[in-house]
Amino acid sequence: MRKLLHAILLGLLGAGIVHVIVLLLVPEFSERDAWSRLAMASDLYTMTRLDAEAGGAPVVKSVDPLFYAAACRFDLSEGMVRVKASGNVPFWSVSVYDRSGHNIYSFNDHSATGRGLDTIVLTPAQMIEIRKDLPEELQGAIFVEAPIDEGMFVIRSFVPDDSWKPVVSRFLEQGSCEPQDF
């Protein structure tokens, strides 16, 4: 009886380990990951709403209905990318992901010098070059060094009630994601 119980426990433990490994590997083998879904919805350097409020089906399902989101894909091998959004929204946060969906960097409006968003995503080599002679128009920008070639930039903004929906939508829709060559 004791051997049977031991075998059952070992079997359950082994099945649990295999289950966790499979769950962790799903994003690596999935063709319907966030990068692929965003690629089907828009081109590189195009700010795309992720929530259903923009019309149509959401690109990525949000877990929090009090946040609207937009994203753009970029390729740092073509140069650095500048992401800007202006407006007075209650709160915004930003995440930079690599192509596989791993979070590289995150920050929010409390890290910015003003209420708007102005950030440059670049590789460490590009950062060395830009530091040599920082252009005047980049003085207030937040620099994100990302050791990646391709990635996604996601902006989320808080919508405390219905009166904020148009303001937050405008903030996200007027945002830009453009390659830069300084």
Side-chain angles (χ1 to χ4, degrees):
M1 181 68 167
R2 187 174 177 172
K3 286 185 178 185
L4 178 62
L5 182 61
H6 187 262
I8 290 173
L9 287 175
L10 275 176
L12 288 173
L13 179 65
I17 291 171
V18 169
H19 180 75
V20 168
I21 290 171
V22 168
L23 287 177
L24 293 174
L25 289 175
V26 165
E28 296 295 324
F29 294 104
S30 175
E31 293 181 22
R32 302 285 298 162
D33 61 358
W35 176 272
S36 300
R37 284 183 274 171
L38 193 55
M40 288 188 295
S42 64
D43 295 327
L44 286 173
Y45 308 108
T46 302
M47 196 66 75
T48 305
R49 290 287 297 271
L50 300 179
D51 50 77
E53 290 297 321
V59 176
V60 178
K61 291 184 180 177
S62 175
V63 293
D64 192 339
L66 295 178
F67 278 83
Y68 287 175
C72 76
R73 295 178 309 120
F74 57 84
D75 186 349
L76 294 179
S77 66
E78 296 177 3
M80 52 191 134
V81 64
R82 186 174 195 178
V83 181
K84 294 178 81 173
S86 60
N88 191 14
V89 294
F91 173 82
W92 56 259
S93 68
V94 165
S95 295
V96 177
Y97 297 94
D98 66 9
R99 186 179 173 141
S100 299
H102 299 111
N103 191 335
I104 302 296
Y105 195 83
S106 296
F107 62 96
N108 61 40
D109 59 352
H110 299 292
S111 303
T113 55
R115 290 294 300 159
L117 166 65
D118 186 6
T119 189
I120 305 288
V121 183
L122 65 175
T123 65
Q126 292 165 339
M127 186 66 177
I128 291 170
E129 288 301 312
I130 199 79
R131 279 186 181 160
K132 290 178 182 176
D133 186 24
L134 186 64
E136 179 86 19
E137 65 266 17
L138 299 183
Q139 293 294 328
I142 297 171
F143 287 86
V144 176
E145 285 187 50
I148 58 175
D149 287 329
E150 296 177 316
M152 295 175 286
F153 191 92
V154 179
I155 306 170
R156 294 175 191 86
S157 187
F158 181 56
V159 183
D161 61 49
D162 287 347
S163 68
W164 282 97
K165 286 183 178 183
V167 175
V168 172
S169 289
R170 197 169 30 258
F171 174 78
L172 294 173
E173 289 162 5
Q174 292 177 354
S176 64
C177 175
E178 300 172 349
Q180 298 292 301
D181 200 19
F182 292 102

